[in-house]
Amino acid sequence: AGSALMGIGHGTGDNRAIEAARAAPGGGAKIPGTVCKSETAPFLVETSDEALAVDRLCLEGKKSVASEEFIRGHPDIIGAVLL
């Protein structure tokens, strides 16, 4: 399966490739694209209906990492809105 590219909405301009994700219940944010977390997923992206639980991603030019590892290194992404 192909990777989905996304830009981070808080000014970094970096690209991330989502390598593994699944549908999940929403994390409570009201704006689609908002990054949040839940008890079952450390990295959720809200959609208009539910959420996308990101399990693994890759920073542009970097190695692939699990979402838990990514969040530890980039805790400020929680609350950001992806474009």
Side-chain angles (χ1 to χ4, degrees):
S3 296
L5 293 177
M6 60 185 177
I8 298 301
H10 63 282
T12 66
D14 293 338
N15 286 323
R16 277 87 167 125
I18 297 174
E19 297 182 328
R22 58 193 155 77
K30 302 294 183 205
I31 300 170
T34 301
V35 177
C36 53
K37 60 183 176 178
S38 73
E39 292 178 14
T40 60
F43 188 148
L44 288 174
V45 180
E46 291 290 337
T47 69
S48 58
D49 296 325
E50 293 184 357
L52 181 71
V54 178
D55 295 319
R56 189 159 199 82
L57 67 159
C58 183
L59 292 155
E60 186 173 14
K62 304 284 183 175
K63 68 176 184 141
S64 176
V65 295
S67 60
E68 296 88 351
E69 183 179 347
F70 179 80
I71 294 296
R72 277 194 300 274
H74 303 280
D76 59 325
I77 197 168
I78 302 298
V81 178
L82 303 180
L83 302 176

